[in-house]
Amino acid sequence: MDQFDHILNWKLKQGSHTFPSKDGGTCINEAAIVAAGFPYQPVRSVEDMPACFSRPICRLAMQLNDEASDEERQHLLLVVSRLACADTPQVERERAVYIATRMRWRLPLREGMAVLEGALAIGRQADVVTSGDVRTRLDALQQKASKPTSVDEYPLFAKIHGWLVGIY
């Protein structure tokens, strides 16, 4: 994990965000877009991701991101540079089946991360992005941010989602 120390001050947050804050303040998929070298954009669904991102993997990453506690969510930073790994339709179906047969609602993050790692091992791997490149890209984005803390684009939705998660 030492190679990722430089992005540990980046804070993954629940939900989509109009723009990150000084502390990071994006979901896993928004951070992955920047880490892959694309301009920042909010992600409300996996269909908002660039074509080089695996839809089943990004859907799982989004689920894990939104179900995790604020502290747990930061463990997802370990995969932020690996989500741009879209493959053939057959491989994407294989990934989707792999994920569907192993996931259930509110799976502990450690188990969800194991499923994510397994899905990432299927098919094409993301192009290697150096930790220096990731740092430069995320740092540049943080420098453009004007607020010290992030605000969910849909705070009411996040609050209701938090209440419902507590019920299940």
Side-chain angles (χ1 to χ4, degrees):
M1 200 154 143
D2 292 340
Q3 71 222 42
F4 292 97
D5 284 346
H6 60 277
I7 63 171
L8 292 180
N9 66 337
W10 190 268
K11 300 293 183 206
L12 293 180
K13 304 281 185 172
Q14 184 180 38
S16 180
H17 305 86
T18 303
F19 197 78
S21 65
K22 289 284 187 192
D23 66 351
T26 66
C27 74
I28 180 68
N29 288 327
E30 292 164 344
I33 288 172
V34 174
F38 292 95
Y40 179 81
Q41 68 181 54
V43 176
R44 291 174 191 83
S45 78
V46 295
E47 302 311 317
D48 295 335
M49 300 297 288
C52 63
F53 284 81
S54 169
R55 298 306 191 251
I57 288 173
C58 288
R59 188 172 291 110
L60 175 56
M62 184 179 286
Q63 178 183 344
L64 295 174
N65 181 86
D66 289 347
E67 290 178 357
S69 70
D70 288 339
E71 184 179 325
E72 289 175 326
R73 186 175 299 114
Q74 305 320 306
H75 295 285
L76 292 169
L77 285 167
L78 296 173
V79 298
V80 75
S81 65
R82 297 173 54 205
L83 303 184
C85 61
D87 207 318
T88 65
Q90 174 60 33
V91 170
E92 293 302 302
R93 282 190 295 276
E94 187 178 337
R95 287 173 170 164
V97 168
Y98 177 88
I99 292 166
T101 59
R102 288 161 177 79
M103 288 299 294
R104 64 179 194 279
W105 180 252
R106 295 295 301 157
L107 193 65
L109 184 66
R110 182 181 305 254
E111 293 176 38
M113 289 286 292
V115 174
L116 182 58
E117 286 291 342
L120 284 166
I122 298 170
R124 185 180 91 75
Q125 305 300 295
D127 295 335
V128 176
V129 180
T130 68
S131 60
D133 286 342
V134 173
R135 178 181 187 169
T136 300
R137 292 168 183 169
L138 293 176
D139 285 349
L141 188 61
Q142 276 183 296
Q143 296 306 313
K144 294 178 185 177
S146 60
K147 297 179 182 177
T149 58
S150 58
V151 177
D152 289 338
E153 186 170 341
Y154 301 103
L156 180 60
F157 175 75
K159 183 178 260 188
I160 292 169
H161 182 269
W163 292 337
L164 293 175
V165 167
I167 293 172
Y168 294 100

